[in-house]
PDB file of all heavy atoms in Angstrom:
ATOM      1  N   GLY V   1      34.830  25.372  67.458  1.00  0.00           N
ATOM      2  CA  GLY V   1      35.291  24.004  67.602  1.00  0.00           C
ATOM      3  C   GLY V   1      36.763  23.812  67.281  1.00  0.00           C
ATOM      4  O   GLY V   1      37.452  24.740  66.848  1.00  0.00           O
ATOM      5  N   PRO V   2      37.282  22.564  67.468  1.00  0.00           N
ATOM      6  CA  PRO V   2      38.722  22.306  67.300  1.00  0.00           C
ATOM      7  C   PRO V   2      39.219  22.379  65.864  1.00  0.00           C
ATOM      8  O   PRO V   2      40.404  22.603  65.631  1.00  0.00           O
ATOM      9  CB  PRO V   2      38.881  20.878  67.859  1.00  0.00           C
ATOM     10  CG  PRO V   2      37.530  20.259  67.697  1.00  0.00           C
ATOM     11  CD  PRO V   2      36.543  21.358  67.897  1.00  0.00           C
ATOM     12  N   SER V   3      38.352  22.203  64.877  1.00  0.00           N
ATOM     13  CA  SER V   3      38.787  22.200  63.476  1.00  0.00           C
ATOM     14  C   SER V   3      38.649  23.574  62.821  1.00  0.00           C
ATOM     15  O   SER V   3      39.632  24.138  62.325  1.00  0.00           O
ATOM     16  CB  SER V   3      37.979  21.163  62.681  1.00  0.00           C
ATOM     17  OG  SER V   3      38.202  19.865  63.189  1.00  0.00           O
ATOM     18  N   ALA V   4      37.428  24.115  62.812  1.00  0.00           N
ATOM     19  CA  ALA V   4      37.191  25.404  62.157  1.00  0.00           C
ATOM     20  C   ALA V   4      37.918  26.547  62.851  1.00  0.00           C
ATOM     21  O   ALA V   4      38.172  27.589  62.243  1.00  0.00           O
ATOM     22  CB  ALA V   4      35.690  25.699  62.111  1.00  0.00           C
ATOM     23  N   SER V   5      38.278  26.364  64.117  1.00  0.00           N
ATOM     24  CA  SER V   5      38.942  27.442  64.870  1.00  0.00           C
ATOM     25  C   SER V   5      40.420  27.577  64.528  1.00  0.00           C
ATOM     26  O   SER V   5      41.044  28.579  64.899  1.00  0.00           O
ATOM     27  CB  SER V   5      38.792  27.199  66.379  1.00  0.00           C
ATOM     28  OG  SER V   5      39.502  26.037  66.770  1.00  0.00           O
ATOM     29  N   ARG V   6      40.992  26.596  63.837  1.00  0.00           N
ATOM     30  CA  ARG V   6      42.436  26.619  63.599  1.00  0.00           C
ATOM     31  C   ARG V   6      42.901  27.888  62.872  1.00  0.00           C
ATOM     32  O   ARG V   6      43.764  28.616  63.384  1.00  0.00           O
ATOM     33  CB  ARG V   6      42.866  25.359  62.841  1.00  0.00           C
ATOM     34  CG  ARG V   6      42.934  24.119  63.722  1.00  0.00           C
ATOM     35  CD  ARG V   6      43.044  22.842  62.920  1.00  0.00           C
ATOM     36  NE  ARG V   6      44.217  22.816  62.070  1.00  0.00           N
ATOM     37  CZ  ARG V   6      44.513  21.791  61.249  1.00  0.00           C
ATOM     38  NH1 ARG V   6      43.702  20.750  61.198  1.00  0.00           N
ATOM     39  NH2 ARG V   6      45.594  21.833  60.508  1.00  0.00           N
ATOM     40  N   PRO V   7      42.349  28.239  61.711  1.00  0.00           N
ATOM     41  CA  PRO V   7      42.791  29.489  61.078  1.00  0.00           C
ATOM     42  C   PRO V   7      42.381  30.724  61.875  1.00  0.00           C
ATOM     43  O   PRO V   7      43.070  31.752  61.820  1.00  0.00           O
ATOM     44  CB  PRO V   7      42.097  29.459  59.707  1.00  0.00           C
ATOM     45  CG  PRO V   7      40.956  28.523  59.862  1.00  0.00           C
ATOM     46  CD  PRO V   7      41.400  27.501  60.860  1.00  0.00           C
ATOM     47  N   LEU V   8      41.275  30.621  62.627  1.00  0.00           N
ATOM     48  CA  LEU V   8      40.823  31.766  63.420  1.00  0.00           C
ATOM     49  C   LEU V   8      41.778  32.049  64.572  1.00  0.00           C
ATOM     50  O   LEU V   8      42.010  33.203  64.933  1.00  0.00           O
ATOM     51  CB  LEU V   8      39.408  31.527  63.952  1.00  0.00           C
ATOM     52  CG  LEU V   8      38.314  31.335  62.901  1.00  0.00           C
ATOM     53  CD1 LEU V   8      36.963  31.127  63.577  1.00  0.00           C
ATOM     54  CD2 LEU V   8      38.255  32.531  61.960  1.00  0.00           C
ATOM     55  N   ILE V   9      42.310  30.979  65.171  1.00  0.00           N
ATOM     56  CA  ILE V   9      43.288  31.150  66.257  1.00  0.00           C
ATOM     57  C   ILE V   9      44.565  31.778  65.709  1.00  0.00           C
ATOM     58  O   ILE V   9      45.162  32.657  66.350  1.00  0.00           O
ATOM     59  CB  ILE V   9      43.587  29.802  66.931  1.00  0.00           C
ATOM     60  CG1 ILE V   9      42.382  29.338  67.763  1.00  0.00           C
ATOM     61  CG2 ILE V   9      44.826  29.913  67.825  1.00  0.00           C
ATOM     62  CD1 ILE V   9      42.080  30.204  68.969  1.00  0.00           C
ATOM     63  N   TYR V  10      44.976  31.371  64.517  1.00  0.00           N
ATOM     64  CA  TYR V  10      46.149  31.994  63.901  1.00  0.00           C
ATOM     65  C   TYR V  10      45.879  33.462  63.600  1.00  0.00           C
ATOM     66  O   TYR V  10      46.747  34.329  63.807  1.00  0.00           O
ATOM     67  CB  TYR V  10      46.543  31.255  62.615  1.00  0.00           C
ATOM     68  CG  TYR V  10      47.412  30.056  62.851  1.00  0.00           C
ATOM     69  CD1 TYR V  10      46.859  28.791  63.006  1.00  0.00           C
ATOM     70  CD2 TYR V  10      48.794  30.187  62.939  1.00  0.00           C
ATOM     71  CE1 TYR V  10      47.652  27.679  63.233  1.00  0.00           C
ATOM     72  CE2 TYR V  10      49.604  29.085  63.161  1.00  0.00           C
ATOM     73  CZ  TYR V  10      49.029  27.833  63.306  1.00  0.00           C
ATOM     74  OH  TYR V  10      49.822  26.740  63.542  1.00  0.00           O
ATOM     75  N   LEU V  11      44.680  33.766  63.100  1.00  0.00           N
ATOM     76  CA  LEU V  11      44.331  35.154  62.817  1.00  0.00           C
ATOM     77  C   LEU V  11      44.271  35.963  64.102  1.00  0.00           C
ATOM     78  O   LEU V  11      44.668  37.132  64.138  1.00  0.00           O
ATOM     79  CB  LEU V  11      42.982  35.219  62.091  1.00  0.00           C
ATOM     80  CG  LEU V  11      42.494  36.613  61.672  1.00  0.00           C
ATOM     81  CD1 LEU V  11      43.521  37.304  60.787  1.00  0.00           C
ATOM     82  CD2 LEU V  11      41.148  36.509  60.963  1.00  0.00           C
ATOM     83  N   TYR V  12      43.801  35.321  65.170  1.00  0.00           N
ATOM     84  CA  TYR V  12      43.748  35.970  66.485  1.00  0.00           C
ATOM     85  C   TYR V  12      45.142  36.403  66.915  1.00  0.00           C
ATOM     86  O   TYR V  12      45.352  37.524  67.393  1.00  0.00           O
ATOM     87  CB  TYR V  12      43.146  34.984  67.494  1.00  0.00           C
ATOM     88  CG  TYR V  12      43.152  35.436  68.934  1.00  0.00           C
ATOM     89  CD1 TYR V  12      42.182  36.302  69.411  1.00  0.00           C
ATOM     90  CD2 TYR V  12      44.117  34.970  69.828  1.00  0.00           C
ATOM     91  CE1 TYR V  12      42.166  36.707  70.736  1.00  0.00           C
ATOM     92  CE2 TYR V  12      44.110  35.368  71.144  1.00  0.00           C
ATOM     93  CZ  TYR V  12      43.127  36.230  71.604  1.00  0.00           C
ATOM     94  OH  TYR V  12      43.130  36.633  72.914  1.00  0.00           O
ATOM     95  N   HIS V  13      46.108  35.525  66.729  1.00  0.00           N
ATOM     96  CA  HIS V  13      47.478  35.851  67.106  1.00  0.00           C
ATOM     97  C   HIS V  13      48.205  36.662  66.033  1.00  0.00           C
ATOM     98  O   HIS V  13      49.232  37.280  66.318  1.00  0.00           O
ATOM     99  CB  HIS V  13      48.246  34.573  67.438  1.00  0.00           C
ATOM    100  CG  HIS V  13      47.751  33.899  68.680  1.00  0.00           C
ATOM    101  ND1 HIS V  13      48.023  34.376  69.940  1.00  0.00           N
ATOM    102  CD2 HIS V  13      46.957  32.809  68.862  1.00  0.00           C
ATOM    103  CE1 HIS V  13      47.436  33.602  70.838  1.00  0.00           C
ATOM    104  NE2 HIS V  13      46.790  32.656  70.205  1.00  0.00           N
ATOM    105  N   PHE V  14      47.660  36.658  64.819  1.00  0.00           N
ATOM    106  CA  PHE V  14      48.205  37.515  63.774  1.00  0.00           C
ATOM    107  C   PHE V  14      47.930  38.991  64.071  1.00  0.00           C
ATOM    108  O   PHE V  14      48.791  39.853  63.879  1.00  0.00           O
ATOM    109  CB  PHE V  14      47.583  37.135  62.424  1.00  0.00           C
ATOM    110  CG  PHE V  14      47.875  38.091  61.303  1.00  0.00           C
ATOM    111  CD1 PHE V  14      49.091  38.070  60.656  1.00  0.00           C
ATOM    112  CD2 PHE V  14      46.919  39.014  60.887  1.00  0.00           C
ATOM    113  CE1 PHE V  14      49.362  38.943  59.612  1.00  0.00           C
ATOM    114  CE2 PHE V  14      47.176  39.890  59.850  1.00  0.00           C
ATOM    115  CZ  PHE V  14      48.396  39.854  59.211  1.00  0.00           C
ATOM    116  N   THR V  15      46.729  39.287  64.548  1.00  0.00           N
ATOM    117  CA  THR V  15      46.366  40.676  64.808  1.00  0.00           C
ATOM    118  C   THR V  15      47.214  41.286  65.919  1.00  0.00           C
ATOM    119  O   THR V  15      47.447  42.504  65.924  1.00  0.00           O
ATOM    120  CB  THR V  15      44.873  40.804  65.174  1.00  0.00           C
ATOM    121  OG1 THR V  15      44.549  39.876  66.215  1.00  0.00           O
ATOM    122  CG2 THR V  15      43.994  40.517  63.974  1.00  0.00           C
ATOM    123  N   VAL V  16      47.695  40.473  66.847  1.00  0.00           N
ATOM    124  CA  VAL V  16      48.579  41.015  67.879  1.00  0.00           C
ATOM    125  C   VAL V  16      49.899  41.456  67.255  1.00  0.00           C
ATOM    126  O   VAL V  16      50.520  42.433  67.697  1.00  0.00           O
ATOM    127  CB  VAL V  16      48.825  39.990  69.008  1.00  0.00           C
ATOM    128  CG1 VAL V  16      49.809  38.914  68.611  1.00  0.00           C
ATOM    129  CG2 VAL V  16      49.326  40.667  70.285  1.00  0.00           C
ATOM    130  N   GLY V  17      50.316  40.765  66.185  1.00  0.00           N
ATOM    131  CA  GLY V  17      51.515  41.174  65.471  1.00  0.00           C
ATOM    132  C   GLY V  17      51.323  42.480  64.722  1.00  0.00           C
ATOM    133  O   GLY V  17      52.240  43.295  64.636  1.00  0.00           O
ATOM    134  N   VAL V  18      50.119  42.687  64.180  1.00  0.00           N
ATOM    135  CA  VAL V  18      49.833  43.940  63.492  1.00  0.00           C
ATOM    136  C   VAL V  18      49.904  45.106  64.475  1.00  0.00           C
ATOM    137  O   VAL V  18      50.497  46.151  64.200  1.00  0.00           O
ATOM    138  CB  VAL V  18      48.444  43.896  62.816  1.00  0.00           C
ATOM    139  CG1 VAL V  18      48.136  45.227  62.139  1.00  0.00           C
ATOM    140  CG2 VAL V  18      48.382  42.763  61.811  1.00  0.00           C
ATOM    141  N   GLY V  19      49.302  44.909  65.654  1.00  0.00           N
ATOM    142  CA  GLY V  19      49.372  45.946  66.686  1.00  0.00           C
ATOM    143  C   GLY V  19      50.792  46.201  67.137  1.00  0.00           C
ATOM    144  O   GLY V  19      51.197  47.352  67.356  1.00  0.00           O
ATOM    145  N   GLY V  20      51.568  45.132  67.254  1.00  0.00           N
ATOM    146  CA  GLY V  20      52.967  45.277  67.640  1.00  0.00           C
ATOM    147  C   GLY V  20      53.792  45.982  66.594  1.00  0.00           C
ATOM    148  O   GLY V  20      54.721  46.732  66.912  1.00  0.00           O
ATOM    149  N   PHE V  21      53.462  45.774  65.319  1.00  0.00           N
ATOM    150  CA  PHE V  21      54.172  46.443  64.228  1.00  0.00           C
ATOM    151  C   PHE V  21      53.888  47.939  64.211  1.00  0.00           C
ATOM    152  O   PHE V  21      54.774  48.767  63.978  1.00  0.00           O
ATOM    153  CB  PHE V  21      53.745  45.798  62.901  1.00  0.00           C
ATOM    154  CG  PHE V  21      54.172  46.578  61.688  1.00  0.00           C
ATOM    155  CD1 PHE V  21      55.502  46.631  61.313  1.00  0.00           C
ATOM    156  CD2 PHE V  21      53.240  47.250  60.917  1.00  0.00           C
ATOM    157  CE1 PHE V  21      55.898  47.340  60.191  1.00  0.00           C
ATOM    158  CE2 PHE V  21      53.621  47.965  59.792  1.00  0.00           C
ATOM    159  CZ  PHE V  21      54.952  48.011  59.435  1.00  0.00           C
ATOM    160  N   VAL V  22      52.650  48.315  64.467  1.00  0.00           N
ATOM    161  CA  VAL V  22      52.244  49.720  64.401  1.00  0.00           C
ATOM    162  C   VAL V  22      52.823  50.530  65.563  1.00  0.00           C
ATOM    163  O   VAL V  22      53.205  51.695  65.396  1.00  0.00           O
ATOM    164  CB  VAL V  22      50.707  49.828  64.377  1.00  0.00           C
ATOM    165  CG1 VAL V  22      50.246  51.271  64.560  1.00  0.00           C
ATOM    166  CG2 VAL V  22      50.164  49.268  63.066  1.00  0.00           C
ATOM    167  N   ALA V  23      52.894  49.924  66.747  1.00  0.00           N
ATOM    168  CA  ALA V  23      53.277  50.658  67.959  1.00  0.00           C
ATOM    169  C   ALA V  23      54.602  51.407  67.854  1.00  0.00           C
ATOM    170  O   ALA V  23      54.668  52.595  68.205  1.00  0.00           O
ATOM    171  CB  ALA V  23      53.287  49.703  69.161  1.00  0.00           C
ATOM    172  N   PRO V  24      55.712  50.791  67.399  1.00  0.00           N
ATOM    173  CA  PRO V  24      56.963  51.543  67.323  1.00  0.00           C
ATOM    174  C   PRO V  24      56.902  52.738  66.372  1.00  0.00           C
ATOM    175  O   PRO V  24      57.551  53.761  66.607  1.00  0.00           O
ATOM    176  CB  PRO V  24      57.973  50.498  66.814  1.00  0.00           C
ATOM    177  CG  PRO V  24      57.392  49.188  67.201  1.00  0.00           C
ATOM    178  CD  PRO V  24      55.916  49.360  67.063  1.00  0.00           C
ATOM    179  N   PHE V  25      56.111  52.623  65.294  1.00  0.00           N
ATOM    180  CA  PHE V  25      55.976  53.744  64.371  1.00  0.00           C
ATOM    181  C   PHE V  25      55.221  54.896  65.009  1.00  0.00           C
ATOM    182  O   PHE V  25      55.503  56.072  64.747  1.00  0.00           O
ATOM    183  CB  PHE V  25      55.269  53.295  63.093  1.00  0.00           C
ATOM    184  CG  PHE V  25      56.150  52.519  62.159  1.00  0.00           C
ATOM    185  CD1 PHE V  25      55.966  51.158  61.982  1.00  0.00           C
ATOM    186  CD2 PHE V  25      57.178  53.142  61.468  1.00  0.00           C
ATOM    187  CE1 PHE V  25      56.780  50.432  61.122  1.00  0.00           C
ATOM    188  CE2 PHE V  25      58.003  52.435  60.609  1.00  0.00           C
ATOM    189  CZ  PHE V  25      57.809  51.069  60.433  1.00  0.00           C
ATOM    190  N   ILE V  26      54.234  54.559  65.849  1.00  0.00           N
ATOM    191  CA  ILE V  26      53.513  55.608  66.569  1.00  0.00           C
ATOM    192  C   ILE V  26      54.434  56.255  67.606  1.00  0.00           C
ATOM    193  O   ILE V  26      54.394  57.463  67.838  1.00  0.00           O
ATOM    194  CB  ILE V  26      52.256  55.024  67.237  1.00  0.00           C
ATOM    195  CG1 ILE V  26      51.247  54.586  66.168  1.00  0.00           C
ATOM    196  CG2 ILE V  26      51.606  56.044  68.187  1.00  0.00           C
ATOM    197  CD1 ILE V  26      50.002  53.929  66.706  1.00  0.00           C
ATOM    198  N   ALA V  27      55.284  55.444  68.225  1.00  0.00           N
ATOM    199  CA  ALA V  27      56.170  55.957  69.271  1.00  0.00           C
ATOM    200  C   ALA V  27      57.340  56.772  68.710  1.00  0.00           C
ATOM    201  O   ALA V  27      57.823  57.697  69.378  1.00  0.00           O
ATOM    202  CB  ALA V  27      56.713  54.795  70.108  1.00  0.00           C
ATOM    203  N   GLU V  28      57.798  56.441  67.500  1.00  0.00           N
ATOM    204  CA  GLU V  28      59.017  57.060  66.953  1.00  0.00           C
ATOM    205  C   GLU V  28      58.986  58.589  66.932  1.00  0.00           C
ATOM    206  O   GLU V  28      59.940  59.239  67.398  1.00  0.00           O
ATOM    207  CB  GLU V  28      59.305  56.516  65.555  1.00  0.00           C
ATOM    208  CG  GLU V  28      60.586  57.074  64.958  1.00  0.00           C
ATOM    209  CD  GLU V  28      60.861  56.540  63.566  1.00  0.00           C
ATOM    210  OE1 GLU V  28      60.121  55.638  63.116  1.00  0.00           O
ATOM    211  OE2 GLU V  28      61.809  57.034  62.924  1.00  0.00           O
ATOM    212  N   PRO V  29      57.924  59.240  66.408  1.00  0.00           N
ATOM    213  CA  PRO V  29      57.947  60.714  66.395  1.00  0.00           C
ATOM    214  C   PRO V  29      57.958  61.328  67.787  1.00  0.00           C
ATOM    215  O   PRO V  29      58.569  62.377  68.003  1.00  0.00           O
ATOM    216  CB  PRO V  29      56.669  61.087  65.628  1.00  0.00           C
ATOM    217  CG  PRO V  29      55.807  59.875  65.697  1.00  0.00           C
ATOM    218  CD  PRO V  29      56.731  58.715  65.728  1.00  0.00           C
ATOM    219  N   PHE V  30      57.307  60.672  68.754  1.00  0.00           N
ATOM    220  CA  PHE V  30      57.315  61.185  70.124  1.00  0.00           C
ATOM    221  C   PHE V  30      58.691  61.026  70.765  1.00  0.00           C
ATOM    222  O   PHE V  30      59.163  61.902  71.495  1.00  0.00           O
ATOM    223  CB  PHE V  30      56.258  60.461  70.963  1.00  0.00           C
ATOM    224  CG  PHE V  30      54.846  60.687  70.506  1.00  0.00           C
ATOM    225  CD1 PHE V  30      54.105  59.663  69.948  1.00  0.00           C
ATOM    226  CD2 PHE V  30      54.259  61.942  70.607  1.00  0.00           C
ATOM    227  CE1 PHE V  30      52.808  59.866  69.517  1.00  0.00           C
ATOM    228  CE2 PHE V  30      52.956  62.162  70.184  1.00  0.00           C
ATOM    229  CZ  PHE V  30      52.228  61.120  69.629  1.00  0.00           C
ATOM    230  N   LEU V  31      59.365  59.893  70.468  1.00  0.00           N
ATOM    231  CA  LEU V  31      60.723  59.679  70.972  1.00  0.00           C
ATOM    232  C   LEU V  31      61.698  60.683  70.358  1.00  0.00           C
ATOM    233  O   LEU V  31      62.542  61.262  71.053  1.00  0.00           O
ATOM    234  CB  LEU V  31      61.170  58.247  70.666  1.00  0.00           C
ATOM    235  CG  LEU V  31      60.502  57.125  71.462  1.00  0.00           C
ATOM    236  CD1 LEU V  31      60.726  55.778  70.792  1.00  0.00           C
ATOM    237  CD2 LEU V  31      61.025  57.092  72.894  1.00  0.00           C
ATOM    238  N   ALA V  32      61.578  60.899  69.041  1.00  0.00           N
ATOM    239  CA  ALA V  32      62.454  61.848  68.370  1.00  0.00           C
ATOM    240  C   ALA V  32      62.203  63.278  68.845  1.00  0.00           C
ATOM    241  O   ALA V  32      63.139  64.088  68.964  1.00  0.00           O
ATOM    242  CB  ALA V  32      62.252  61.756  66.859  1.00  0.00           C
ATOM    243  N   MET V  33      60.950  63.587  69.137  1.00  0.00           N
ATOM    244  CA  MET V  33      60.591  64.914  69.620  1.00  0.00           C
ATOM    245  C   MET V  33      61.275  65.235  70.953  1.00  0.00           C
ATOM    246  O   MET V  33      61.725  66.353  71.201  1.00  0.00           O
ATOM    247  CB  MET V  33      59.067  64.997  69.793  1.00  0.00           C
ATOM    248  CG  MET V  33      58.525  66.386  70.097  1.00  0.00           C
ATOM    249  SD  MET V  33      56.735  66.309  70.435  1.00  0.00           S
ATOM    250  CE  MET V  33      56.146  65.451  68.971  1.00  0.00           C
ATOM    251  N   GLU V  34      61.387  64.211  71.796  1.00  0.00           N
ATOM    252  CA  GLU V  34      61.950  64.424  73.126  1.00  0.00           C
ATOM    253  C   GLU V  34      63.466  64.232  73.158  1.00  0.00           C
ATOM    254  O   GLU V  34      64.180  64.973  73.818  1.00  0.00           O
ATOM    255  CB  GLU V  34      61.291  63.474  74.131  1.00  0.00           C
ATOM    256  CG  GLU V  34      61.817  63.595  75.556  1.00  0.00           C
ATOM    257  CD  GLU V  34      61.503  64.938  76.196  1.00  0.00           C
ATOM    258  OE1 GLU V  34      60.650  65.686  75.668  1.00  0.00           O
ATOM    259  OE2 GLU V  34      62.125  65.258  77.224  1.00  0.00           O
ATOM    260  N   TYR V  35      63.961  63.206  72.460  1.00  0.00           N
ATOM    261  CA  TYR V  35      65.365  62.835  72.604  1.00  0.00           C
ATOM    262  C   TYR V  35      66.211  63.104  71.367  1.00  0.00           C
ATOM    263  O   TYR V  35      67.425  62.914  71.403  1.00  0.00           O
ATOM    264  CB  TYR V  35      65.478  61.344  72.971  1.00  0.00           C
ATOM    265  CG  TYR V  35      64.706  60.985  74.206  1.00  0.00           C
ATOM    266  CD1 TYR V  35      63.773  59.947  74.195  1.00  0.00           C
ATOM    267  CD2 TYR V  35      64.892  61.688  75.393  1.00  0.00           C
ATOM    268  CE1 TYR V  35      63.063  59.621  75.331  1.00  0.00           C
ATOM    269  CE2 TYR V  35      64.177  61.361  76.531  1.00  0.00           C
ATOM    270  CZ  TYR V  35      63.265  60.329  76.493  1.00  0.00           C
ATOM    271  OH  TYR V  35      62.559  60.011  77.619  1.00  0.00           O
ATOM    272  N   GLY V  36      65.603  63.474  70.241  1.00  0.00           N
ATOM    273  CA  GLY V  36      66.371  63.720  69.029  1.00  0.00           C
ATOM    274  C   GLY V  36      66.738  62.423  68.342  1.00  0.00           C
ATOM    275  O   GLY V  36      66.246  61.354  68.672  1.00  0.00           O
ATOM    276  N   GLU V  37      67.653  62.506  67.380  1.00  0.00           N
ATOM    277  CA  GLU V  37      68.004  61.351  66.558  1.00  0.00           C
ATOM    278  C   GLU V  37      69.340  60.715  66.940  1.00  0.00           C
ATOM    279  O   GLU V  37      69.779  59.781  66.311  1.00  0.00           O
ATOM    280  CB  GLU V  37      68.084  61.768  65.083  1.00  0.00           C
ATOM    281  CG  GLU V  37      66.721  62.025  64.467  1.00  0.00           C
ATOM    282  CD  GLU V  37      65.868  60.763  64.397  1.00  0.00           C
ATOM    283  OE1 GLU V  37      66.444  59.673  64.232  1.00  0.00           O
ATOM    284  OE2 GLU V  37      64.643  60.867  64.518  1.00  0.00           O
ATOM    285  N   VAL V  38      70.022  61.241  67.952  1.00  0.00           N
ATOM    286  CA  VAL V  38      71.325  60.677  68.293  1.00  0.00           C
ATOM    287  C   VAL V  38      71.159  59.380  69.037  1.00  0.00           C
ATOM    288  O   VAL V  38      70.137  59.111  69.640  1.00  0.00           O
ATOM    289  CB  VAL V  38      72.149  61.662  69.166  1.00  0.00           C
ATOM    290  CG1 VAL V  38      72.408  62.929  68.414  1.00  0.00           C
ATOM    291  CG2 VAL V  38      71.447  61.943  70.492  1.00  0.00           C
ATOM    292  N   GLY V  39      72.199  58.535  68.995  1.00  0.00           N
ATOM    293  CA  GLY V  39      72.163  57.291  69.733  1.00  0.00           C
ATOM    294  C   GLY V  39      72.416  57.536  71.204  1.00  0.00           C
ATOM    295  O   GLY V  39      72.813  58.607  71.623  1.00  0.00           O
ATOM    296  N   VAL V  40      72.208  56.508  71.990  1.00  0.00           N
ATOM    297  CA  VAL V  40      72.425  56.584  73.424  1.00  0.00           C
ATOM    298  C   VAL V  40      73.737  55.884  73.751  1.00  0.00           C
ATOM    299  O   VAL V  40      74.082  54.873  73.158  1.00  0.00           O
ATOM    300  CB  VAL V  40      71.256  55.931  74.188  1.00  0.00           C
ATOM    301  CG1 VAL V  40      71.481  55.997  75.680  1.00  0.00           C
ATOM    302  CG2 VAL V  40      69.941  56.620  73.822  1.00  0.00           C
ATOM    303  N   ASP V  41      74.446  56.423  74.696  1.00  0.00           N
ATOM    304  CA  ASP V  41      75.733  55.869  75.094  1.00  0.00           C
ATOM    305  C   ASP V  41      75.578  54.423  75.555  1.00  0.00           C
ATOM    306  O   ASP V  41      74.572  54.062  76.147  1.00  0.00           O
ATOM    307  CB  ASP V  41      76.299  56.722  76.244  1.00  0.00           C
ATOM    308  CG  ASP V  41      77.733  56.344  76.555  1.00  0.00           C
ATOM    309  OD1 ASP V  41      78.645  56.928  75.954  1.00  0.00           O
ATOM    310  OD2 ASP V  41      77.917  55.464  77.405  1.00  0.00           O
ATOM    311  N   PRO V  42      76.580  53.546  75.286  1.00  0.00           N
ATOM    312  CA  PRO V  42      76.501  52.175  75.751  1.00  0.00           C
ATOM    313  C   PRO V  42      76.317  52.045  77.257  1.00  0.00           C
ATOM    314  O   PRO V  42      75.953  50.997  77.749  1.00  0.00           O
ATOM    315  CB  PRO V  42      77.839  51.569  75.303  1.00  0.00           C
ATOM    316  CG  PRO V  42      78.213  52.359  74.096  1.00  0.00           C
ATOM    317  CD  PRO V  42      77.745  53.751  74.386  1.00  0.00           C
TER     318      PRO V  42
END
């Protein structure tokens, strides 16, 4: 319903942030493995 769902909707969108936070950390070792630690030219 419209009232009890309010914190649940926030939690629903909170979990997408958790997944978004984890993803770059999972990607970092694979990126470093292929491209190393140097920056990319502008």
Side-chain angles (χ1 to χ4, degrees):
S3 298
S5 66
R6 283 167 59 181
L8 299 181
I9 289 293
Y10 276 93
L11 182 57
Y12 174 81
H13 292 285
F14 170 78
T15 51
V16 77
V18 178
F21 168 71
V22 170
F25 283 109
I26 293 177
E28 182 180 353
F30 296 112
L31 289 163
M33 189 185 307
E34 179 66 15
Y35 304 126
E37 287 295 328
V38 298
V40 180
D41 189 90

